[in-house]
Amino acid sequence: MQKKVTVLFLLLFVVTGLISAQTMQITTYGVSPREAGLSDNDIFTSAYNGLTNVGVGTKMYLKATLAGGRLNDPQWSTTERAPGSSPKFGGILDVDTSSQIIVFTPDKPGKYVVQVSDGPYSASIVINAAKYIGVYNEVGNVTCQTCHPSVVEKWEGTDHSTIMFRGVEGTLSSHYNANCLSCHTTGYDANAENDGFDDFEFVFPENLTEGTYQTLIDQYPDAMQRANVQCESCHGPASGHFGSTKDSRIVVSYSTDNCALCHDDGHYHVYPEQWDVSRHAEATSYPTGPGRESCVRCHTAKGFAQFVKGIATNDPYFDPSYQPITCAGCHDPHDATNMHQVRTVNASLADGTVIEQGGLGKLCMNCHQSRRVANSSYTQTPSRHYGPHYSTAADVLNAANVVTFGDTLFTLASTNHLGVTENGCVDCHMAEGETDASGHAQLVGKHTFSMSTPTGVDNMKACAKCHGYSLGASFEDVRFFLNGSGDHDGDGVVEGLQDEVHGLLDYLGSLLPDPDPHATPDTTWTKEQLQAAYNMRVIYYDGSYGIHNPKFTVTLLKGTIKALGGVVSVEESKEVPTNYALYQNYPNPFNPTTNIKFSLPKASHVKLTVYDVLGKEVQTLVNNQLSAGTHTIAFNGANLASGVYLYRIESGDFVQVNKMLLVK
């Protein structure tokens, strides 16, 4: 009997543990106009901004998720509803075995509590339905300005506050028409009666000229109370607000779903579509709660907004929860002080270095930096958090906050990418990408912030403004020569800069007790080894492998190797040849890489170019001043078709062409 009781107790314990490990949750599910138009065979028939404060009659999408389990038979209901309401549940979409989306439409002003139950699991969400009133519309002698005068004043300086005004006055676009009003007004919803712009009499003007806006105010005062993108467009209708924020009577959302309602139509407005494939769209996996606030400042939209505003992490209103970096994280919807309403154009490194150059890119540099002081890092107790924080681009771009071993061992050089770009990070990572055959922009650059498409095609167009297309077809092709040498890792072959930097990192790692950049140092590591590990991690976590700052990257790694007693040869050849020569590539035939060797009797400017058999330029391998000696250049034909190719060298009066064969 005792054995049976024990077995039953253990079984109950296991089942209870499984149940407690599974949690039910309801969230809103925003759908942009682009997403709503992707299919005629799903439940998404209209757009929804994901707010819990919505206009009466708004078609909402609610998502139930059973974390750690499988849904069996979810049952949806309203446990509380507005007086006289008969809210409707609509179509259902099973996303996967653990989540389901349902359509819900509140039909009267007031509070709704929607519940979903599935066996022992249940969850609920509070929704408020209301009507739109307009930012300047007095209701009981109260307007938005009554309680929020400074916010309204700042908003009046934004493009949102004048978007319809500029449209009907003829200064926004020559193509401005009635179709634009759904996003350029407040509360517009053709499927609902919510006292939004479209619920009042309005006729679009035939002539878009100066003075038209005031004429429209005189003719259609009720509709024009909701003109332009007002507070309620982002916070939800305010007829139930009047100082009360309980039960979602007004909401603040940093979700991209809110912006996507107008900025993601799949045609002219594509920012959220681009953001969807960015790393910013991925919520961090770090745990939440007290002690993680310093992480939140750069891992969430609201955390960054609070950081810029100077809100301390011990402030009772500081939000330590984790969400993605969304539109409202980088852009302040209420303040147009900075171009594009970015939250800040000031930044400094952890060691106190004030970043002077970089324009709008300084916004990015607040987070994409080491967050550690290099020259004091080795005094810290070694731990798994030793060294710079991930993403050290700002330190590398500014050639600062690294260990220099007393400033006498080596000299750091710097490629002035920040000086020659007006907006630093933005000019490259948000550069326009190439388009496909249909003319649709590839998902690269702009608000993807990516230098490569999802299929791995590098956006070399970002470099073309300064370099033309001389750098090659990808970042792997980019070669860098310093003092006439391109073989930085000393292996005898000039490879792409990124390969050379990988070689330097591998060599530096071999001089440390543990070569892994993620290794946890212990007390056996010497001061010099800890300092060298710090520098190695700055370059490794930068992620560009030299592209951000070629001179700095190469000189820092070589100098750090020297500090540990290592040697990297910068000699292309110990013997200076007496004649110019271009040798046959080896191997030949090749697939996909080969080496091209040539000799220079004196320092010369060299241009080495590969052509196809029709004479079309394929790639320029070298276009630099090189030192005297014998040089070997690696060529990668992975993206080329099989066939005969020509390689041509020009140096002074010396010109020669050889053939090579690519066989795949």
Side-chain angles (χ1 to χ4, degrees):
M1 182 66 180
Q2 183 178 6
K3 182 177 180 181
K4 291 183 179 179
V5 171
T6 302
V7 170
L8 288 172
F9 175 78
L10 289 174
L11 181 60
L12 179 62
F13 178 79
V14 170
V15 171
T16 303
L18 288 174
I19 292 176
S20 63
Q22 299 172 357
T23 56
M24 180 79 84
Q25 181 184 28
I26 298 181
T27 58
T28 59
Y29 188 84
V31 174
S32 72
R34 172 183 60 85
E35 293 168 329
L38 291 177
S39 174
D40 294 329
N41 299 315
D42 59 26
I43 65 173
F44 306 120
T45 57
S46 60
Y48 163 55
N49 63 2
L51 296 184
T52 52
N53 181 34
V54 298
V56 173
T58 297
K59 181 177 288 188
M60 306 174 67
Y61 305 105
L62 304 179
K63 182 178 181 181
T65 303
L66 181 60
R70 297 170 62 93
L71 292 173
N72 181 34
D73 184 24
Q75 297 296 311
W76 295 83
S77 63
T78 54
T79 59
E80 187 174 343
R81 62 188 67 88
S85 171
S86 299
K88 297 178 181 179
F89 287 102
I92 292 177
L93 173 66
D94 291 318
V95 180
D96 50 40
T97 59
S98 63
S99 56
Q100 183 183 86
I101 298 174
I102 195 169
V103 176
F104 176 73
T105 306
D107 61 340
K108 298 288 184 181
K111 175 185 175 182
Y112 297 79
V113 178
V114 177
Q115 178 176 285
V116 63
S117 300
D118 190 24
Y121 312 106
S122 66
S124 61
I125 188 171
V126 176
I127 294 164
N128 182 68
K131 296 195 173 185
Y132 292 89
I133 58 177
V135 63
Y136 302 117
N137 193 9
E138 287 192 8
V139 180
N141 297 320
V142 174
T143 69
C144 295
Q145 288 176 302
T146 305
C147 298
H148 309 284
S150 62
V151 176
V152 171
E153 182 180 4
K154 286 184 176 181
W155 163 80
E156 288 174 332
T158 69
D159 285 347
H160 277 164
S161 73
T162 61
I163 188 70
M164 180 182 170
F165 169 83
R166 288 177 287 126
V168 298
E169 293 273 307
T171 61
L172 182 64
S173 169
S174 61
H175 302 291
Y176 200 77
N177 58 64
N179 293 326
C180 303
L181 297 181
S182 61
C183 278
H184 292 181
T185 60
T186 300
Y188 197 111
D189 187 342
N191 300 313
E193 294 183 6
N194 54 27
D195 283 357
F197 180 90
D198 60 310
D199 290 331
F200 298 93
E201 182 184 1
F202 182 84
V203 177
F204 194 83
E206 293 183 5
N207 299 312
L208 307 181
T209 60
E210 184 178 355
T212 300
Y213 190 79
Q214 183 59 50
T215 299
L216 293 174
I217 291 176
D218 296 338
Q219 292 179 327
Y220 313 109
D222 291 328
M224 294 302 288
Q225 287 278 10
R226 286 90 175 159
N228 302 303
V229 178
Q230 303 180 14
C231 314
E232 294 169 291
S233 297
C234 302
H235 297 287
S239 68
H241 176 38
F242 300 111
S244 176
T245 58
K246 69 177 183 178
D247 300 331
S248 294
R249 292 184 185 177
I250 206 76
V251 293
V252 175
S253 173
Y254 282 80
S255 172
T256 295
D257 292 339
N258 205 10
C259 308
L261 186 68
C262 287
H263 291 279
D264 189 26
D265 65 4
H267 301 288
Y268 302 107
H269 305 289
V270 296
Y271 295 157
E273 180 183 7
Q274 294 169 335
W275 175 86
D276 276 344
V277 299
S278 76
R279 294 290 296 275
H280 282 170
E282 300 175 17
T284 179
S285 60
Y286 290 137
T288 62
R292 307 298 299 186
E293 293 89 346
S294 62
C295 304
V296 174
R297 68 167 251 195
C298 283
H299 284 271
T300 73
K302 187 173 183 179
F304 182 69
Q306 292 173 319
F307 162 70
V308 172
K309 292 175 182 177
I311 297 176
T313 56
N314 60 358
D315 187 286
Y317 291 100
F318 189 89
D319 185 356
S321 61
Y322 283 79
Q323 296 173 336
I325 295 292
T326 58
C327 318
C330 297
H331 301 276
D332 189 336
H334 301 134
D335 194 343
T337 300
N338 299 320
M339 185 181 294
H340 303 303
Q341 295 180 227
V342 298
R343 289 196 176 271
T344 183
V345 288
N346 298 308
S348 59
L349 300 180
D351 66 350
T353 299
V354 177
I355 300 174
E356 301 291 348
Q357 298 175 308
L360 294 174
K362 286 188 281 187
L363 171 79
C364 315
M365 294 185 218
N366 278 280
C367 288
H368 293 276
Q369 58 166 279
S370 69
R371 304 277 300 279
R372 306 285 191 273
V373 179
N375 280 316
S376 63
S377 63
Y378 67 88
T379 63
Q380 302 166 1
T381 302
S383 70
R384 65 188 183 91
H385 296 298
Y386 176 77
H389 190 60
Y390 306 109
S391 191
T392 55
D395 303 74
V396 172
L397 282 166
N398 286 276
N401 194 28
V402 291
V403 181
T404 55
F405 299 92
D407 297 320
T408 59
L409 190 63
F410 58 89
T411 301
L412 289 173
S414 181
T415 302
N416 191 23
H417 275 162
L418 281 184
V420 299
T421 55
E422 180 180 359
N423 290 303
C425 320
V426 170
D427 286 354
C428 298
H429 284 267
M430 298 187 71
E432 189 75 56
E434 300 288 355
T435 59
D436 59 20
S438 66
H440 188 272
Q442 298 294 298
L443 294 178
V444 63
K446 294 299 182 180
H447 282 82
T448 70
F449 311 104
S450 176
M451 299 303 298
S452 305
T453 67
T455 57
V457 178
D458 292 340
N459 186 21
M460 302 307 292
K461 191 174 181 179
C463 308
K465 182 177 180 181
C466 296
H467 297 278
Y469 287 92
S470 64
L471 297 180
S474 70
F475 294 114
E476 292 181 351
D477 293 335
V478 177
R479 286 170 174 76
F480 169 67
F481 295 86
L482 183 63
N483 300 325
S485 173
D487 178 21
H488 307 298
D489 60 5
D491 65 357
V493 179
V494 176
E495 301 153 306
L497 172 62
Q498 292 183 323
D499 283 337
E500 295 286 344
V501 170
H502 276 292
L504 287 169
L505 287 170
D506 289 343
Y507 184 23
L508 177 54
S510 72
L511 302 175
L512 296 173
D514 190 329
D516 185 355
H518 304 290
T520 300
D522 57 35
T523 54
T524 65
W525 289 46
T526 67
K527 170 184 173 181
E528 289 75 19
Q529 289 170 339
L530 288 171
Q531 291 175 314
Y534 187 96
N535 284 353
M536 181 176 75
R537 294 176 190 202
V538 166
I539 302 304
Y540 180 80
Y541 292 146
D542 169 59
S544 76
Y545 298 103
I547 301 296
H548 281 152
N549 195 335
K551 289 182 181 179
F552 174 75
T553 300
V554 169
T555 55
L556 177 67
L557 290 177
K558 284 188 174 183
T560 304
I561 289 170
K562 181 179 178 182
L564 292 185
V567 177
V568 177
S569 173
V570 296
E571 298 290 336
E572 295 285 354
S573 175
K574 294 182 179 179
E575 296 183 2
V576 177
T578 57
N579 298 300
Y580 288 99
L582 176 65
Y583 302 97
Q584 186 62 49
N585 65 298
Y586 61 94
N588 190 44
F590 66 98
N591 179 26
T593 59
T594 189
N595 295 310
I596 299 173
K597 186 167 70 172
F598 56 89
S599 296
L600 306 175
K602 61 181 180 180
S604 312
H605 186 275
V606 175
K607 185 174 183 181
L608 179 63
T609 311
V610 177
Y611 300 88
D612 62 21
V613 290
L614 298 177
K616 180 181 178 182
E617 183 176 320
V618 171
Q619 186 180 339
T620 298
L621 300 179
V622 181
N623 191 11
N624 292 87
Q625 182 77 14
L626 300 187
S627 57
T630 299
H631 304 257
T632 302
I633 310 293
F635 171 65
N636 190 329
N639 296 324
L640 301 175
S642 296
V644 174
Y645 291 86
L646 310 176
Y647 56 101
R648 182 178 189 269
I649 190 172
E650 301 175 59
S651 183
D653 295 331
F654 176 69
V655 178
Q656 185 174 330
V657 179
N658 287 352
K659 295 180 180 180
M660 57 183 173
L661 179 61
L662 172 61
V663 178
K664 293 187 175 181

